[in-house]
Amino acid sequence: MFLQLYSICVLIWDVSWLILYSIYFILKAAKELLLPPPLKSVSKEVVMVVGCGRGVGKEIVKIMAMLGATVVCVDINKDSNNLTVMQIKQMMPYKSKKIHSFTCDVTNHSDVIKLANDIKNEVGNITMMFHCCGIPSPRSLLTEDPRNLNKTFDLAIMSQFWLLDAFLPTMIKNNHGHIVALTSVAGLSGQKEQLPLSVSQFAVQGLAESLLEEFRINRKDNIHVTIIHIYPFILNSDTAADIRLRIPSYFGTIKARLAAQCIIDAVRRNYIEVSIPKHLIFIGHLLRILPRQATIMIREMLDTGVDFA
Ligand SMILES: *[C@@H]1O[C@H](CO)[C@@H](O)[C@H](O)[C@H]1NC(C)=O
Ligand SMILES: *[C@@H]1O[C@H](CO)[C@@H](O)[C@H](O)[C@H]1NC(C)=O
Ligand SMILES: *[C@@H]1O[C@H](CO)[C@@H](O)[C@H](O)[C@H]1NC(C)=O
Ligand SMILES: *[C@@H]1O[C@H](CO)[C@@H](O)[C@H](O)[C@H]1NC(C)=O
């Protein structure tokens, strides 16, 4: 009898704390919506950007170099990588010692191991890692061949494992690091016609969440994970010309530069999950809690011909 009473008291106590803390964290999150946390400095970081030859990756490298970070440009295409590096060096000649470039096919495990060795010898420990490949242009989204299944998966998800395998152990040892994964918004909502792509993007989401949990449990609280869902109508405006948009003004296209700025902003604030444009993540969450019939209506209204279709 006494024992029962005791356990009920403990339960009530625990639940009260749970509720109080939940309210506290909800209020804290609401406050951060209005007053975002401060931007962290990246000037002492060694930032590796995979897929820096074009698009968002290229702009990320440029901005990171401007912010004073040591940048390590990695791309499968030697020439476009070289071009990126040359442009940065031209922009900031005084920083040329802080810019390195490596050619690597990140879908090839042995190539990634080689990359890790080269970087260790030439540059040092990577402290931030941006994975920017596997964000397709709208055209490739529309015409993706189902037979390219392993290509899609190798690039979007397997390469993440190879890179983590190579670079995460040092981050864990030093309890210092930041892993940034970019996915298209296909990872927020299932897609017709782009099954492999959508599935691979969901996999990246799962990877990011598992990593977060891993670091939380092992108390690696100085290793951050940021997952960024990008609405794919970015990059150069010419690629988006043939996309049908039911609500063009609402969705418009985003320049790679602006996207990169938003990404770096979110990363420097240690946000866990963001979307570009910002409101899409709320739509994604909404789609999850609403009844299916309602989500179908929303999807049809937002029908873009490529995403959310
Ligand atoms: C990049 O290209 C320039 C001009 O073609 C060349 O001089 C330079 O050595 C190249 N750099 C690398 C790292 O390949
Ligand atoms: C994978 O990378 C290794 C090491 O760079 C290279 O020798 C090998 O040819 C690559 N394999 C493929 C299929 O590209
Ligand atoms: C894809 O996977 C299949 C089955 O494992 C394999 O036969 C094929 O060579 C792979 N294709 C590529 C491009 O790696
Ligand atoms: C890189 O990390 C290793 C492992 O923690 C550490 O011993 C080493 O001093 C680090 N190197 C630099 C340049 O920080």
Side-chain angles (χ1 to χ4, degrees):
M1 174 63 196
F2 181 72
L3 209 64
Q4 236 170 4
L5 202 67
Y6 175 73
S7 60
I8 288 173
C9 284
V10 169
L11 184 70
I12 290 173
W13 177 258
D14 283 353
V15 171
S16 314
W17 271 117
L18 183 73
I19 292 172
L20 277 177
Y21 265 106
S22 303
I23 292 172
Y24 168 71
F25 285 122
I26 291 169
L27 288 177
K28 194 163 167 244
K31 188 199 119 199
E32 281 185 2
L33 217 57
L34 299 173
L35 286 173
L39 296 163
K40 69 177 176 188
S41 161
V42 293
S43 61
K44 292 204 179 77
E45 308 288 331
V46 182
V47 182
M48 177 172 75
V49 180
V50 179
C52 65
R54 62 187 186 98
V56 182
K58 184 170 184 164
E59 299 301 328
I60 288 175
V61 178
K62 283 187 188 167
I63 297 174
M64 277 299 185
M66 234 182 288
L67 291 171
T70 301
V71 293
V72 178
C73 305
V74 176
D75 202 285
I76 188 172
N77 185 327
K78 192 171 182 188
D79 296 334
S80 59
N81 196 356
N82 190 354
L83 192 66
T84 303
V85 172
M86 300 291 267
Q87 282 174 354
I88 299 174
K89 283 186 178 170
Q90 236 161 34
M91 259 162 43
M92 291 163 271
Y94 51 94
K95 293 240 176 81
S96 33
K97 271 196 205 130
K98 288 183 127 188
I99 299 159
H100 308 264
S101 75
F102 297 89
T103 307
C104 178
D105 173 7
V106 288
T107 63
N108 175 344
H109 192 187
S110 27
D111 216 15
V112 173
I113 291 170
K114 185 170 161 288
L115 172 76
N117 276 328
D118 292 349
I119 289 179
K120 192 158 221 157
N121 295 334
E122 280 180 46
V123 188
N125 299 331
I126 296 291
T127 60
M128 292 177 99
M129 188 167 96
F130 285 76
H131 189 289
C132 307
C133 25
I135 301 169
S137 71
R139 180 159 290 284
S140 69
L141 269 175
L142 286 171
T143 57
E144 202 190 14
D145 185 340
R147 278 167 299 184
N148 285 342
L149 206 62
N150 22 3
K151 222 174 134 196
T152 304
F153 277 86
D154 281 350
L155 193 60
I157 185 77
M158 294 314 290
S159 63
Q160 305 257 15
F161 280 102
W162 307 147
L163 289 163
L164 288 173
D165 187 45
F167 295 102
L168 194 54
T170 315
M171 289 188 191
I172 288 177
K173 210 187 241 169
N174 299 339
N175 189 17
H176 179 76
H178 202 139
I179 291 156
V180 185
L182 274 67
T183 77
S184 96
V185 279
L188 279 180
S189 148
Q191 304 298 310
K192 67 172 190 216
E193 282 166 16
Q194 309 135 32
L195 220 65
L197 179 82
S198 189
V199 173
S200 72
Q201 308 287 286
F202 269 90
V204 175
Q205 167 104 36
L207 176 71
E209 284 181 14
S210 309
L211 280 174
L212 273 173
E213 201 53 14
E214 185 93 19
F215 299 149
R216 185 181 71 82
I217 287 166
N218 293 314
R219 296 178 189 278
K220 298 294 175 193
D221 46 0
N222 270 321
I223 305 182
H224 302 280
V225 180
T226 301
I227 180 161
I228 293 156
H229 306 275
I230 301 191
Y231 183 64
F233 303 140
I234 45 164
L235 315 177
N236 308 313
S237 41
D238 53 305
T239 48
D242 55 350
I243 300 295
R244 106 192 120 89
L245 284 176
R246 198 161 290 172
I247 317 177
S249 59
Y250 192 59
F251 278 108
T253 56
I254 312 160
K255 290 262 154 55
R257 176 88 190 178
L258 186 63
Q261 253 151 9
C262 296
I263 290 167
I264 287 174
D265 204 72
V267 167
R268 290 179 66 199
R269 294 186 202 279
N270 291 332
Y271 286 152
I272 288 171
E273 192 175 13
V274 289
S275 70
I276 293 175
K278 274 185 192 152
H279 55 267
L280 281 185
I281 196 156
F282 297 111
I283 298 178
H285 290 329
L286 199 64
L287 285 176
R288 293 222 183 288
I289 53 172
L290 288 178
R292 175 148 175 82
Q293 297 299 326
T295 71
I296 291 173
M297 277 173 59
I298 295 175
R299 277 158 183 264
E300 296 205 324
M301 188 184 82
L302 299 180
D303 186 1
T304 57
V306 177
D307 248 60
F308 284 113

